[in-house]
Amino acid sequence: MSRVIKSCIQKGETFACQRKGPMEGAQSLIAKNITKKFHQGSKDFEVLRGITQEFKQGHSYAIVGVSGSGKSTFMHIIGGLDKPSSGDVALFGHSLYKNPQRSDVLNRYIGFVFQFHYLVKELSILENVILPGLIAGMPRHEAVSRAMELLDFLGMIAKAPSYPTELSGGEQQRVSIVRAMFNKPAFLIADEPTGNLDEGNAGQAVNLLLEGCRAWNMALIVCSHDRYVYEQMETVLRMQQGVLAQEK
Ligand SMILES: Nc1ncnc2c1ncn2[C@@H]1O[C@H](COP(=O)(O)OP(=O)(O)O)[C@@H](O)[C@H]1O
Ligand SMILES: [Mg+2]
Protein backbone atom coordinates (compact mmCIF):
# COMPACT_ATOMS: atom_id res chain seq x y z
CA MET A 1 0.00 0.00 0.00
CA SER A 2 1.29 3.44 -0.83
CA ARG A 3 2.76 5.61 1.90
CA VAL A 4 0.29 8.44 1.35
CA ILE A 5 -2.77 6.20 1.48
CA LYS A 6 -1.38 4.50 4.59
CA SER A 7 -0.83 7.86 6.25
CA CYS A 8 -4.39 8.94 5.45
CA ILE A 9 -5.71 5.77 7.06
CA GLN A 10 -3.54 6.31 10.14
CA LYS A 11 -4.93 9.83 10.41
CA GLY A 12 -8.38 8.25 10.51
CA GLU A 13 -9.38 9.67 7.18
CA THR A 14 -11.52 6.75 6.16
CA PHE A 15 -14.69 7.56 4.35
CA ALA A 16 -16.99 9.44 6.69
CA CYS A 17 -20.16 7.89 5.37
CA GLN A 18 -19.49 4.28 6.37
CA ARG A 19 -22.83 4.35 8.10
CA LYS A 20 -23.91 1.67 10.46
CA GLY A 21 -27.46 0.69 11.17
CA PRO A 22 -30.27 -1.22 9.65
CA MET A 23 -31.19 1.17 6.81
CA GLU A 24 -31.47 -0.63 3.49
CA GLY A 25 -28.61 0.23 1.15
CA ALA A 26 -26.77 2.21 3.84
CA GLN A 27 -23.42 1.53 2.20
CA SER A 28 -24.57 1.10 -1.35
CA LEU A 29 -25.68 2.67 -4.50
CA ILE A 30 -28.69 0.85 -5.90
CA ALA A 31 -30.01 1.20 -9.42
CA LYS A 32 -33.73 0.51 -9.20
CA ASN A 33 -35.52 -0.64 -12.32
CA ILE A 34 -33.71 1.87 -14.54
CA THR A 35 -34.95 2.42 -18.06
CA LYS A 36 -33.65 4.91 -20.61
CA LYS A 37 -35.19 5.82 -23.92
CA PHE A 38 -33.74 8.07 -26.57
CA HIS A 39 -35.72 9.62 -29.40
CA GLN A 40 -34.59 8.71 -32.88
CA GLY A 41 -36.60 10.65 -35.43
CA SER A 42 -40.23 10.00 -34.51
CA LYS A 43 -39.42 6.76 -32.67
CA ASP A 44 -38.33 5.96 -29.12
CA PHE A 45 -35.34 3.70 -28.80
CA GLU A 46 -35.01 1.89 -25.46
CA VAL A 47 -31.35 1.45 -24.47
CA LEU A 48 -31.85 0.33 -20.86
CA ARG A 49 -34.79 -1.95 -20.14
CA GLY A 50 -35.23 -2.11 -16.39
CA ILE A 51 -31.92 -2.60 -14.59
CA THR A 52 -31.79 -3.30 -10.88
CA GLN A 53 -28.32 -3.65 -9.44
CA GLU A 54 -26.66 -2.94 -6.11
CA PHE A 55 -23.07 -1.60 -5.89
CA LYS A 56 -21.52 -2.00 -2.44
CA GLN A 57 -18.72 0.07 -0.95
CA GLY A 58 -15.39 -1.75 -0.78
CA HIS A 59 -16.23 -3.95 -3.78
CA SER A 60 -15.04 -3.70 -7.39
CA TYR A 61 -17.29 -4.17 -10.43
CA ALA A 62 -16.65 -4.30 -14.14
CA ILE A 63 -19.31 -3.62 -16.74
CA VAL A 64 -18.56 -5.18 -20.10
CA GLY A 65 -20.53 -5.44 -23.33
CA VAL A 66 -20.33 -4.56 -27.00
CA SER A 67 -20.06 -0.97 -28.12
CA GLY A 68 -23.46 0.72 -28.19
CA SER A 69 -24.99 -1.67 -25.62
CA GLY A 70 -25.67 1.15 -23.15
CA LYS A 71 -22.73 0.94 -20.74
CA SER A 72 -21.95 4.67 -20.73
CA THR A 73 -25.64 5.58 -20.57
CA PHE A 74 -26.00 3.41 -17.44
CA MET A 75 -22.81 4.75 -15.82
CA HIS A 76 -23.97 8.35 -16.38
CA ILE A 77 -27.33 7.56 -14.78
CA ILE A 78 -25.90 5.86 -11.67
CA GLY A 79 -23.38 8.70 -11.38
CA GLY A 80 -26.13 11.32 -11.42
CA LEU A 81 -25.08 12.86 -14.73
CA ASP A 82 -28.15 11.90 -16.76
CA LYS A 83 -31.73 11.20 -15.63
CA PRO A 84 -33.33 7.82 -16.23
CA SER A 85 -36.60 7.68 -18.20
CA SER A 86 -38.03 5.70 -15.28
CA GLY A 87 -36.68 4.10 -12.14
CA ASP A 88 -34.40 5.70 -9.58
CA VAL A 89 -30.96 5.53 -8.02
CA ALA A 90 -30.73 5.16 -4.25
CA LEU A 91 -27.54 6.46 -2.67
CA PHE A 92 -27.18 5.41 0.99
CA GLY A 93 -30.88 4.59 0.93
CA HIS A 94 -31.96 8.02 -0.41
CA SER A 95 -33.17 8.93 -3.87
CA LEU A 96 -30.46 10.62 -5.93
CA TYR A 97 -32.75 12.21 -8.49
CA LYS A 98 -35.22 13.60 -5.95
CA ASN A 99 -32.45 15.28 -3.96
CA PRO A 100 -32.41 19.06 -4.52
CA GLN A 101 -28.74 19.12 -3.45
CA ARG A 102 -27.79 16.53 -6.06
CA SER A 103 -24.71 18.36 -7.35
CA ASP A 104 -23.24 18.69 -3.82
CA VAL A 105 -23.92 15.01 -3.17
CA LEU A 106 -22.23 14.08 -6.45
CA ASN A 107 -19.15 16.18 -5.76
CA ARG A 108 -18.77 14.66 -2.31
CA TYR A 109 -19.67 11.00 -2.81
CA ILE A 110 -19.18 10.15 -6.47
CA GLY A 111 -15.97 10.38 -8.50
CA PHE A 112 -15.88 10.06 -12.28
CA VAL A 113 -13.03 9.06 -14.56
CA PHE A 114 -13.54 9.20 -18.32
CA GLN A 115 -11.60 7.82 -21.27
CA PHE A 116 -10.49 11.35 -22.13
CA HIS A 117 -9.06 12.94 -19.05
CA TYR A 118 -10.95 16.29 -19.15
CA LEU A 119 -8.32 18.11 -17.16
CA VAL A 120 -8.88 21.86 -17.38
CA LYS A 121 -6.15 22.93 -19.77
CA GLU A 122 -5.98 26.52 -18.49
CA LEU A 123 -5.21 25.28 -14.95
CA SER A 124 -1.96 23.82 -13.65
CA ILE A 125 -1.80 20.20 -12.54
CA LEU A 126 -1.93 21.28 -8.89
CA GLU A 127 -4.97 23.50 -9.53
CA ASN A 128 -6.71 20.70 -11.39
CA VAL A 129 -6.18 18.25 -8.53
CA ILE A 130 -7.42 20.59 -5.77
CA LEU A 131 -10.56 21.63 -7.68
CA PRO A 132 -12.99 19.04 -6.16
CA GLY A 133 -11.68 19.89 -2.67
CA LEU A 134 -12.25 23.63 -3.17
CA ILE A 135 -15.75 22.99 -4.55
CA ALA A 136 -16.47 20.91 -1.42
CA GLY A 137 -15.34 23.82 0.78
CA MET A 138 -11.94 22.50 1.87
CA PRO A 139 -9.56 25.31 2.91
CA ARG A 140 -7.05 25.96 0.11
CA HIS A 141 -3.93 25.19 2.20
CA GLU A 142 -5.37 21.80 3.20
CA ALA A 143 -6.31 21.03 -0.39
CA VAL A 144 -2.83 21.97 -1.61
CA SER A 145 -1.12 19.86 1.01
CA ARG A 146 -3.28 16.84 0.16
CA ALA A 147 -2.73 17.35 -3.57
CA MET A 148 1.04 17.51 -3.07
CA GLU A 149 0.94 14.21 -1.13
CA LEU A 150 -1.05 12.59 -3.92
CA LEU A 151 1.26 13.96 -6.63
CA ASP A 152 4.22 12.74 -4.59
CA PHE A 153 2.62 9.29 -4.53
CA LEU A 154 2.35 9.42 -8.35
CA GLY A 155 6.01 10.46 -8.55
CA MET A 156 4.80 13.65 -10.20
CA ILE A 157 5.50 16.35 -7.65
CA ALA A 158 7.78 18.17 -10.09
CA LYS A 159 4.83 18.43 -12.49
CA ALA A 160 2.61 20.34 -10.03
CA PRO A 161 3.17 23.70 -11.78
CA SER A 162 2.97 22.21 -15.30
CA TYR A 163 -0.10 22.38 -17.52
CA PRO A 164 -1.98 19.29 -18.81
CA THR A 165 -0.65 19.63 -22.37
CA GLU A 166 2.90 19.33 -21.02
CA LEU A 167 2.18 15.81 -19.67
CA SER A 168 2.10 12.45 -21.43
CA GLY A 169 -1.26 10.70 -21.94
CA GLY A 170 -0.56 8.25 -19.12
CA GLU A 171 0.40 11.05 -16.73
CA GLN A 172 -2.71 13.04 -17.63
CA GLN A 173 -4.93 10.04 -16.91
CA ARG A 174 -3.23 9.32 -13.57
CA VAL A 175 -3.77 12.96 -12.57
CA SER A 176 -7.43 12.72 -13.56
CA ILE A 177 -7.82 9.57 -11.43
CA VAL A 178 -6.26 11.25 -8.43
CA ARG A 179 -8.53 14.26 -9.00
CA ALA A 180 -11.59 11.96 -9.09
CA MET A 181 -10.47 10.36 -5.80
CA PHE A 182 -9.56 13.66 -4.13
CA ASN A 183 -12.67 13.82 -1.93
CA LYS A 184 -12.44 10.07 -1.24
CA PRO A 185 -15.76 9.38 -2.91
CA ALA A 186 -17.80 6.38 -1.79
CA PHE A 187 -18.31 5.39 -5.43
CA LEU A 188 -15.74 5.78 -8.17
CA ILE A 189 -17.14 5.34 -11.65
CA ALA A 190 -14.65 4.93 -14.48
CA ASP A 191 -15.86 4.77 -18.09
CA GLU A 192 -13.16 3.17 -20.28
CA PRO A 193 -10.40 4.70 -18.13
CA THR A 194 -7.64 2.88 -20.01
CA GLY A 195 -9.15 3.21 -23.50
CA ASN A 196 -6.49 5.70 -24.56
CA LEU A 197 -3.47 4.19 -22.83
CA ASP A 198 -0.79 1.70 -23.73
CA GLU A 199 -0.43 -1.47 -21.64
CA GLY A 200 2.09 -0.09 -19.14
CA ASN A 201 0.10 3.06 -18.44
CA ALA A 202 -3.16 1.09 -18.33
CA GLY A 203 -1.66 -1.18 -15.67
CA GLN A 204 -0.60 1.80 -13.55
CA ALA A 205 -4.01 3.42 -13.90
CA VAL A 206 -5.91 0.30 -12.85
CA ASN A 207 -3.60 -0.29 -9.89
CA LEU A 208 -4.26 3.25 -8.74
CA LEU A 209 -8.02 2.71 -8.99
CA LEU A 210 -7.87 -0.59 -7.08
CA GLU A 211 -5.62 0.83 -4.39
CA GLY A 212 -8.03 3.71 -3.77
CA CYS A 213 -10.92 1.25 -3.67
CA ARG A 214 -9.23 -0.86 -0.98
CA ALA A 215 -7.81 2.00 1.05
CA TRP A 216 -10.94 4.13 1.27
CA ASN A 217 -13.60 1.47 1.04
CA MET A 218 -14.82 2.91 -2.24
CA ALA A 219 -16.94 0.95 -4.66
CA LEU A 220 -15.11 0.84 -7.95
CA ILE A 221 -17.32 0.54 -11.04
CA VAL A 222 -15.31 0.25 -14.22
CA CYS A 223 -16.52 -0.12 -17.75
CA SER A 224 -13.78 -1.56 -19.93
CA HIS A 225 -13.06 -3.63 -23.03
CA ASP A 226 -9.64 -4.38 -21.68
CA ARG A 227 -9.40 -7.94 -20.34
CA TYR A 228 -6.52 -7.04 -18.02
CA VAL A 229 -8.78 -4.42 -16.41
CA TYR A 230 -12.06 -6.29 -16.07
CA GLU A 231 -10.47 -9.53 -14.90
CA GLN A 232 -9.13 -7.74 -11.85
CA MET A 233 -12.60 -6.72 -10.67
CA GLU A 234 -14.42 -8.93 -8.15
CA THR A 235 -17.73 -8.88 -10.03
CA VAL A 236 -18.12 -8.74 -13.79
CA LEU A 237 -21.49 -7.67 -15.20
CA ARG A 238 -22.41 -7.88 -18.88
CA MET A 239 -24.70 -5.35 -20.56
CA GLN A 240 -26.77 -7.15 -23.15
CA GLN A 241 -30.08 -6.20 -24.72
CA GLY A 242 -30.64 -3.46 -22.19
CA VAL A 243 -30.12 -5.50 -19.04
CA LEU A 244 -27.18 -6.45 -16.82
CA ALA A 245 -26.32 -10.08 -16.13
CA GLN A 246 -23.62 -11.27 -13.74
CA GLU A 247 -20.74 -13.16 -15.40
CA LYS A 248 -18.40 -13.47 -12.43
N1 LIG B 1 -27.84 11.43 -26.07
C1 LIG B 1 -28.18 10.41 -26.88
N2 LIG B 1 -29.16 10.57 -27.81
C2 LIG B 1 -29.52 9.55 -28.61
N3 LIG B 1 -28.98 8.32 -28.58
C3 LIG B 1 -27.99 8.12 -27.68
C4 LIG B 1 -27.54 9.15 -26.78
N4 LIG B 1 -26.55 8.64 -25.99
C5 LIG B 1 -26.40 7.36 -26.39
N5 LIG B 1 -27.26 7.05 -27.39
C6 LIG B 1 -27.39 5.73 -28.04
O1 LIG B 1 -27.59 4.75 -27.02
C7 LIG B 1 -26.88 3.56 -27.34
C8 LIG B 1 -25.95 3.21 -26.18
O2 LIG B 1 -24.88 4.14 -26.13
P1 LIG B 1 -23.74 4.07 -25.03
O3 LIG B 1 -24.39 4.05 -23.71
O4 LIG B 1 -22.79 5.16 -25.32
O5 LIG B 1 -23.10 2.64 -25.34
P2 LIG B 1 -21.69 2.01 -24.88
O6 LIG B 1 -21.10 2.89 -23.84
O7 LIG B 1 -22.02 0.63 -24.41
O8 LIG B 1 -20.85 1.96 -26.13
C9 LIG B 1 -26.17 3.81 -28.66
O9 LIG B 1 -26.97 3.29 -29.69
C10 LIG B 1 -26.10 5.31 -28.74
O10 LIG B 1 -26.08 5.75 -30.06
MG1 LIG C 1 -19.29 3.94 -23.75
Side-chain angles (χ1 to χ4, degrees), residues 38-40 45 47 66-74:
F38 289 117
H39 302 292
Q40 275 187 349
F45 158 60
V47 181
V66 296
S67 182
S69 57
K71 303 180 298 296
S72 296
T73 303
F74 181 68

Side-chain angles (χ1 to χ4, degrees), residues 3 109 117 122 151:
R3 185 176 50 76
Y109 298 122
H117 57 77
E122 291 79 11
L151 289 171

Side-chain angles (χ1 to χ4, degrees), residues 18-100:
Q18 289 165 27
R19 298 171 183 192
K20 295 194 172 69
M23 188 174 62
E24 183 216 2
Q27 298 193 6
S28 356
L29 184 156
I30 307 178
K32 293 184 168 176
N33 207 12
I34 297 288
T35 72
K36 182 71 180 180
K37 286 180 188 152
F38 289 117
H39 302 292
Q40 275 187 349
S42 57
K43 285 188 187 161
D44 273 352
F45 158 60
E46 195 170 39
V47 181
L48 307 178
R49 298 167 178 242
I51 298 181
T52 296
Q53 176 68 45
E54 180 172 20
F55 298 97
K56 291 183 176 159
Q57 280 186 254
H59 197 87
S60 58
Y61 302 83
I63 297 180
V64 300
V66 296
S67 182
S69 57
K71 303 180 298 296
S72 296
T73 303
F74 181 68
M75 306 270 268
H76 292 164
I77 290 172
I78 61 172
L81 300 181
D82 192 11
K83 280 189 176 166
S85 302
S86 66
D88 200 359
V89 175
L91 183 65
F92 307 129
H94 300 284
S95 166
L96 184 60
Y97 284 97
K98 291 185 193 128
N99 188 336

Side-chain angles (χ1 to χ4, degrees), residues 71-72 191-192 223:
K71 303 180 298 296
S72 296
D191 191 357
E192 305 279 358
C223 159

Side-chain angles (χ1 to χ4, degrees), residues 192-224:
E192 305 279 358
T194 59
N196 253 2
L197 303 179
D198 60 40
E199 218 171 277
N201 278 308
Q204 288 189 27
V206 85
N207 289 343
L208 190 56
L209 289 167
L210 284 166
E211 200 165 357
C213 173
R214 287 185 204 112
W216 292 315
N217 197 36
M218 296 188 304
L220 175 60
I221 307 162
V222 182
C223 159
S224 180

Side-chain angles (χ1 to χ4, degrees), residues 66-169:
V66 296
S67 182
S69 57
K71 303 180 298 296
S72 296
T73 303
F74 181 68
M75 306 270 268
H76 292 164
I77 290 172
I78 61 172
L81 300 181
D82 192 11
K83 280 189 176 166
S85 302
S86 66
D88 200 359
V89 175
L91 183 65
F92 307 129
H94 300 284
S95 166
L96 184 60
Y97 284 97
K98 291 185 193 128
N99 188 336
Q101 264 99 43
R102 179 153 58 101
S103 57
D104 296 340
V105 170
L106 298 183
N107 184 52
R108 178 66 188 84
Y109 298 122
I110 296 184
F112 248 103
V113 178
F114 300 94
Q115 176 171 355
F116 301 100
H117 57 77
Y118 295 122
L119 296 174
V120 183
K121 65 180 192 312
E122 291 79 11
L123 297 181
S124 72
I125 295 305
L126 176 66
E127 288 163 338
N128 265 284
V129 174
I130 64 175
L131 212 49
L134 297 185
I135 293 170
M138 187 185 254
R140 191 181 169 87
H141 67 276
E142 263 178 48
V144 168
S145 128
R146 178 164 167 71
M148 293 308 269
E149 278 189 3
L150 289 165
L151 289 171
D152 189 21
F153 163 56
L154 296 183
M156 289 178 59
I157 213 147
K159 306 276 186 181
S162 304
Y163 285 81
T165 50
E166 298 168 324
L167 268 53
S168 73

